[in-house]
């Protein structure tokens, strides 16, 4: 059906994608643990799999895409108690905010959005199966744990042996675990916890561990074995390793054919994290930048590469996206369907088939924009808009885009203009007059008039 190749973390290689069932793809992605606003790292994760979902559909597959919501977790309980609200009030509110943020960024709703609390019976059934196969035991503290030493393939996804993995673990004498790598499947309830998070089970009142949630939800919705399982690179170990141990341990066969992981977000070349205080919520960034500029910025990096977040890169993304829109000024598409045989479209498809290589696909859009600047051909405009639409870009008119993303006289807008002027000066120094003219034309299209001074500096004003 297609020539798609996907980098499979389990194989550590790009592999030709062969679905289990012809024409159909079943994909599961670990979604959000809901207790706060989504940050730009979450946006990147959801965008990575949104692009895969879109490309699989554009390739003609019937895709069932499940992205779960973890609505039961230590952090959620803690936050709800702090706020003096119920777990479901907290998770309902932040699920709504997540939907608003992802909607703004053009991230399509997945086919299925299972919530962990709706699958507790399936989790309990899975734990019983594991117990019957000697892969789970109840510890002295009442928690039910997974016995990693009884699962021979443990460590295969992360490429580590049990001994390697154990070297980094400290034995916590306060748990009932037999091995430091054993992980909790079922947490015994504490007296102090809200009644809302206590479920009855044969092991006593408790609640599920995080890892078993995903094994239960994906097998309930997509079957014991399915095509693609994804998530952030930080989930490879232990979360995905543990999902494999649970599902393959319980079902006795392979769980997932392609494991796919997106890269980290870095902020000014440092890892983004709450502890470093350098993380940005999607909402913060949307106050400064148009949603499509953020989308474009994320797609400019390949999903497995680190994404370096900085205002300079977002300003640059705004200028570049303006260039694509500017090419569409005064020319409408001819209304015909996207022609996949046309050379640009073929190159775009080749890039997307090469492990969803969006930076190369975007480069094709810029080639089309250059051609459109010369020819103003409606057929070229149709190809540009049609290909951009496949990855969720260029849905507005150039005027609408400029009004929303560039025209407002905010400080960040000025920073973008200054950045563009600096790049133009560099281009002139390099005697790249075509590029310098292009930047002047882009700014003019955005209503910015440049005035070169004899001393080599440039002033600007709004038209
Ligand atoms: Zn998961």
């Amino acid at each position: 059906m297609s020539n798609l190749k996907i980098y499979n973390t389990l194989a550590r290689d790009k592999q030709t994608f062969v679905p289990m069932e012809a024409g159909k793809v079943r994909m599961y992605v670990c979604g959000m643990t809901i207790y706060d606003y989504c940050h730009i790292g979450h946006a990147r994760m959801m965008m990575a799999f949104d692009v895969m979902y879109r490309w699989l559909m554009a390739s003609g597959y019937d895709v069932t895409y499940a992205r779960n919501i973890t609505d039961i977790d230590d952090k959620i309980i803690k936050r709800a108690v702090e706020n003096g609200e119920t777990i479901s009030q907290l998770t309902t509110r932040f699920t709504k905010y997540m939907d608003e943020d992802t909607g703004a960024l053009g991230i399509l709703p997945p086919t299925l959005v299972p919530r962990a609390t709706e699958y507790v019976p399936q989790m309990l059934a899975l734990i019983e199966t594991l117990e019957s196969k000697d892969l789970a035991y109840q510890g002295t503290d009442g928690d039910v744990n997974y016995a990693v030493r009884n699962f021979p393939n443990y460590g295969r996804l992360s490429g580590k042996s049990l001994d390697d993995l154990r070297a980094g673990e400290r034995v916590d004498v306060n748990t009932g675990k037999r091995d430091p790598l054993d992980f909790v499947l079922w947490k015994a309830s504490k007296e102090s916890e809200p009644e809302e998070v206590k479920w009855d089970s044969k092991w006593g009142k408790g609640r599920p561990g995080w890892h078993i949630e995903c094994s239960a939800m994906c097998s309930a919705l997509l079957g014991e074995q399915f095509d693609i399982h994804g998530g952030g690179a930080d989930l490879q170990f232990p979360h995905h390793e543990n999902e494999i141990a649970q599902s393959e341990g319980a079902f006795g066969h392979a769980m997932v054919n392609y494991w796919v992981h997106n890269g980290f977000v870095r902020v000014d070349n440092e890892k983004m994290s709450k502890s470093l205080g350098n993380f940005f919520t999607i909402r913060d960034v949307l106050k400064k930048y148009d949603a499509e500029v953020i989308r474009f910025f994320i797609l400019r990096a390949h999903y497995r590469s680190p994404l370096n977040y900085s205002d300079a890169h977002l300003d640059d993304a705004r200028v570049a996206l303006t260039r694509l829109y500017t090419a569409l000024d005064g020319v409408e598409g001819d209304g015909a369907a996207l022609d996949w045989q046309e050379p640009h479209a073929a190159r775009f498809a080749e890039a997307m088939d090469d492990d969803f290589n969006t930076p190369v696909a975007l480069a094709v859009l810029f080639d089309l924009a250059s051609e459109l600047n010369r020819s103003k051909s409606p057929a070229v405009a149709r190809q540009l808009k049609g290909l951009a639409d496949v990855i969720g870009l260029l849905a507005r008119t150039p005027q609408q885009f400029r009004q929303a993303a560039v025209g407002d006289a905010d400080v960040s807008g000025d920073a973008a203009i200054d950045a563009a002027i600096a790049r133009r000066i560099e281009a002139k120094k390099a005697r790249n007059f075509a590029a310098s003219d292009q930047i002047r034309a882009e700014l003019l299209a955005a209503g910015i008039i440049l005035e070169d001074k004899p001393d080599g500096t440039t002033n600007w004003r709004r038209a």
Side-chain angles (χ1 to χ4, degrees), residues 28-31 68 210-211 214-215 229-230 235 239-240 243:
Y28 182 90
V29 171
C30 296
N68 77 289
W210 175 37
H211 313 301
C214 281
S215 278
H229 190 314
L235 298 189
H239 185 53
H240 290 163
E243 279 191 43

Side-chain angles (χ1 to χ4, degrees), residues 302-324:
H302 185 257
Y303 77 91
R304 281 190 288 119
S305 307
L307 178 72
N308 199 19
Y309 177 93
S310 72
D311 280 359
H313 287 145
L314 276 154
D315 290 337
D316 197 60
R318 170 160 42 196
V319 173
L321 185 58
T322 304
R323 204 159 104 209
L324 291 180

Side-chain angles (χ1 to χ4, degrees), residues 176-457:
K177 288 178 188 174
R178 293 176 190 162
D179 186 295
L181 286 174
D182 287 353
F183 56 90
V184 171
L185 298 166
W186 188 254
K187 275 181 213 241
S189 291
K190 294 189 189 75
E191 197 60 43
S192 59
E193 288 172 346
E195 284 305 310
E196 206 186 347
V197 297
K198 292 176 183 170
W199 282 267
D200 286 318
S201 83
K202 61 176 275 199
W203 304 281
K205 273 192 192 302
R207 60 189 163 91
W210 175 37
H211 313 301
I212 198 71
E213 295 176 4
C214 281
S215 278
M217 286 185 274
C218 66
S219 59
L221 294 168
L222 304 179
E224 291 181 2
Q225 187 176 359
F226 55 94
D227 299 294
I228 299 173
H229 190 314
D234 52 333
L235 298 189
Q236 274 176 46
F237 183 85
H239 185 53
H240 290 163
E241 198 75 72
N242 292 350
E243 279 191 43
I244 292 173
Q246 293 164 159
S247 295
E248 297 193 357
F251 304 134
H253 57 74
M255 173 196 187
V256 166
N257 294 345
Y258 303 86
W259 281 93
V260 181
H261 294 98
N262 66 277
F264 293 110
V265 174
R266 302 173 67 79
V267 177
D268 296 325
N269 287 313
E270 270 196 276
K271 192 183 167 193
M272 184 178 72
S273 75
K274 278 204 169 167
S275 55
L276 289 170
N278 64 350
F279 75 100
F280 298 91
T281 67
I282 297 175
R283 278 169 190 233
D284 289 338
V285 185
L286 279 170
K287 280 180 202 150
K288 275 178 84 176
Y289 294 95
D290 178 72
E292 191 179 357
V293 170
I294 302 170
R295 186 175 179 92
F296 178 89
F297 159 71
I298 293 175
L299 297 185
R300 255 183 154 182
H302 185 257
Y303 77 91
R304 281 190 288 119
S305 307
L307 178 72
N308 199 19
Y309 177 93
S310 72
D311 280 359
H313 287 145
L314 276 154
D315 290 337
D316 197 60
R318 170 160 42 196
V319 173
L321 185 58
T322 304
R323 204 159 104 209
L324 291 180
Y325 268 113
T326 301
L328 288 161
D329 262 330
V331 54
E332 302 263 338
D334 61 7
L338 181 61
D339 174 9
W340 284 106
Q341 307 305 315
E342 182 269 328
H344 289 95
R347 274 173 53 213
F348 181 96
E350 198 184 322
M352 294 301 288
D353 275 343
D354 181 18
D355 194 29
F356 313 100
N357 198 331
T358 51
V360 175
L362 288 177
V364 173
L365 301 187
F366 282 96
D367 288 349
L368 275 166
S370 299
E371 193 172 318
L372 191 55
N373 283 332
R374 287 191 299 271
S375 69
K376 289 292 165 194
S377 148
V380 177
R382 167 245 299 163
Q383 289 296 97
L384 174 58
K385 279 192 76 96
L387 291 175
D389 183 61
V390 170
I391 50 174
L393 295 172
L394 300 185
R396 290 175 284 182
T397 65
Q399 292 74 15
Q400 285 167 338
F401 170 74
R402 276 194 290 273
Q403 266 166 21
V406 187
D408 52 337
D410 64 351
V411 181
S412 56
D414 290 1
I417 295 159
D418 289 341
I421 289 172
R423 276 203 319 285
R424 180 167 169 267
I425 290 170
E426 286 303 309
K428 283 208 296 189
K429 271 191 204 152
R431 304 192 64 78
N432 185 349
F433 299 112
S436 123
D437 288 348
Q438 169 113 17
I439 294 167
R440 175 192 280 274
E442 278 164 17
L443 288 170
L444 185 61
I448 306 299
I449 295 165
L450 300 185
E451 193 187 345
D452 290 325
K453 294 287 186 187
D455 64 359
T457 62

Side-chain angles (χ1 to χ4, degrees), residues 22-49:
K24 295 197 173 172
V25 179
R26 286 172 289 154
M27 174 164 95
Y28 182 90
V29 171
C30 296
M32 306 296 310
T33 297
I34 300 283
Y35 65 101
D36 210 335
Y37 293 108
C38 295
H39 58 60
I40 203 78
H42 302 134
R44 200 226 182 157
M45 179 274 288
M46 291 189 274
M47 188 89 73
F49 294 99

Side-chain angles (χ1 to χ4, degrees), residues 146-188:
Y146 189 98
V148 293
R149 72 175 71 182
N150 293 350
F151 182 70
N153 276 332
Y154 196 79
R156 202 159 57 101
L157 182 69
S158 43
K160 293 196 166 91
S161 71
L162 271 179
D163 288 336
D164 292 341
L165 291 166
R166 241 180 235 126
E169 296 287 325
R170 238 176 274 154
V171 185
D172 186 344
V173 292
N174 295 318
T175 73
K177 288 178 188 174
R178 293 176 190 162
D179 186 295
L181 286 174
D182 287 353
F183 56 90
V184 171
L185 298 166
W186 188 254
K187 275 181 213 241

